[in-house]
Amino acid sequence: MAKKQKKNSGGTPATVALTEAGTAFTVHAYEHDPASPSYGEEAAEALGVSPGRVFKTLVADVDGELTVAVVPVAGQLDLKALASAVGGKRAAMADPAAAERTTGYVRGGISPLGQRKRLRTVLDASASEHETICVSAGRRGLEVELSPADLAALTSAVVAPIGRA
């Protein structure tokens, strides 16, 4: 994989963060259909990538603290496992407006990278089964492909089994 964005090329905060970190990544753009019921599954289909390699970024509230969960689009987030992964007791999906305000991204385009306020992050353990995974690049219709190890390092993520089929 090669870096596809230059620092000042009008990239998203996610691609700028990757470039500044010197991380290898590939940007994949596709035509987003606003009528699509699932942003992640739409991305997997448009890119011709297995849904097990495309990860969605979800924001949850764990004991009053916003937390990012990165899980395969083919499955669901296990809220109890997420809470446990960060030493919490209860987790619930965050208010969408709070998630957008805190991350600086819109729903369906929230990236685990380049967020306005850095949130603690948990990456599903299944990511390590793949050489590369795709996550939102910070805009609907734009994905970034990178190694799970790089994603975990850049987000200081805890890697834990938080997804379920």
Side-chain angles (χ1 to χ4, degrees):
M1 284 182 299
K3 293 179 214 169
K4 297 281 184 174
Q5 296 279 334
K6 299 281 186 243
K7 185 175 179 182
N8 296 318
S9 68
T12 66
T15 59
V16 169
L18 286 163
T19 300
E20 288 178 350
T23 302
F25 67 97
T26 303
V27 173
H28 300 283
Y30 60 94
E31 192 64 39
H32 166 63
D33 177 3
S36 179
S38 168
Y39 298 119
E41 289 176 14
E42 175 192 31
E45 187 174 317
L47 301 176
V49 176
S50 158
R53 277 191 50 223
V54 178
F55 283 64
K56 56 189 169 187
T57 305
L58 303 172
V59 181
D61 181 315
V62 180
D63 298 336
E65 186 177 342
L66 292 182
T67 303
V68 171
V70 184
V71 296
V73 301
Q76 295 182 328
L77 171 61
D78 181 334
L79 289 165
K80 196 174 221 176
L82 175 64
S84 177
V86 295
K89 293 182 186 208
R90 277 192 82 235
M93 293 308 297
D95 172 65
E100 289 180 345
R101 190 172 48 253
T102 305
T103 64
Y105 293 116
V106 297
R107 227 173 45 173
I110 294 178
S111 177
L113 301 156
Q115 296 176 354
R116 182 177 291 145
K117 178 183 178 197
R118 189 172 178 157
L119 300 175
R120 63 183 173 173
T121 301
V122 181
L123 175 61
D124 185 63
S126 69
S128 59
E129 298 168 8
H130 307 285
E131 187 177 321
T132 62
I133 60 171
C134 295
V135 296
S136 175
R139 190 167 65 225
R140 295 173 188 155
L142 197 66
E143 294 283 308
V144 64
E145 181 179 353
L146 73 166
S147 81
D150 285 342
L151 178 61
L154 290 169
T155 59
S156 302
V158 171
V159 178
I162 59 167
R164 63 174 184 239

